[in-house]
C-alpha cells in the first residue's frame, strides 16, 4: 500500500502559509505553493472550533478522498494546504468537493479541459 502524499510537519505548514497564495470560500481556505517535485502533496487542517474529534476526522477523511479522486484534474508539483471552516461541519461530500474544485479554479491550478 502506497503512502498518502501529505504535508505533516508544522514547519512545512508554516512555510506554505507564509510563501503560498491563498483563496477562500464559505467552507474552505486553500493555500498553494510550488514544491519542485513531480507530485502534489496535501496538508489538511481542521480546528477544534469545527467540532469534536469524530467530526474533525470525518472532514479530514472527506478532504483526503476529494484530493485523491481529483488529483488527475490538477497540475502537478504543488503543496496544497486546505483549512476547513466551521461551516464545513454541516456539509456533505458533494458540497465540499465543489468548494475544493472552486478554489482550485481560483488558484488556476486546474488542468484545461480538452
Amino acid at each position: 500500500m502506497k503512502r498518502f502524499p501529505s504535508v505533516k510537519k508544522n514547519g512545512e505548514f508554516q512555510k506554505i502559509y507564509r510563501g503560498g497564495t491563498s483563496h477562500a470560500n464559505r467552507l474552505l481556505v486553500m493555500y498553494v505553493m510550488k514544491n519542485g517535485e513531480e507530485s502534489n502533496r496535501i496538508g489538511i487542517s481542521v480546528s477544534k472550533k469545527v467540532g469534536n474529534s469524530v467530526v474533525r476526522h470525518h472532514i479530514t477523511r472527506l478532504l483526503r478522498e476529494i484530493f485523491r479522486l481529483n488529483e488527475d484534474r490538477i497540475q502537478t508539483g504543488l503543496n496544497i494546504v486546505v483549512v476547513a471552516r466551521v461551516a464545513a461541519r454541516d456539509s456533505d461530500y458533494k458540497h465540499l468537493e465543489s468548494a475544493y474544485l472552486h478554489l482550485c479554479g481560483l488558484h488556476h491550478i486546474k488542468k484545461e479541459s480538452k
Side-chain angles (χ1 to χ4, degrees), residues 55-70:
V55 173
R56 294 195 311 267
H57 193 65
H58 177 70
I59 291 171
T60 302
R61 286 193 316 264
L62 289 176
L63 289 171
R64 194 178 300 134
E65 187 69 0
I66 290 166
F67 173 78
R68 187 182 72 82
L69 293 176
N70 292 294

Side-chain angles (χ1 to χ4, degrees), residues 64-99:
R64 194 178 300 134
E65 187 69 0
I66 290 166
F67 173 78
R68 187 182 72 82
L69 293 176
N70 292 294
E71 196 167 13
D72 58 335
R73 300 170 75 179
I74 296 173
Q75 298 170 9
T76 57
L78 302 170
N79 284 340
I80 301 169
V81 172
V82 178
V83 181
R85 290 185 157 178
V86 176
R89 170 181 40 206
D90 305 319
S91 299
D92 60 352
Y93 177 88
K94 185 171 65 173
H95 289 105
L96 283 173
E97 183 178 38
S98 68

Side-chain angles (χ1 to χ4, degrees), residues 33-44:
M33 184 175 173
K34 294 198 181 298
N35 65 10
E37 298 173 11
E38 293 184 17
S39 63
N40 293 336
R41 296 190 319 151
I42 188 167
I44 300 170

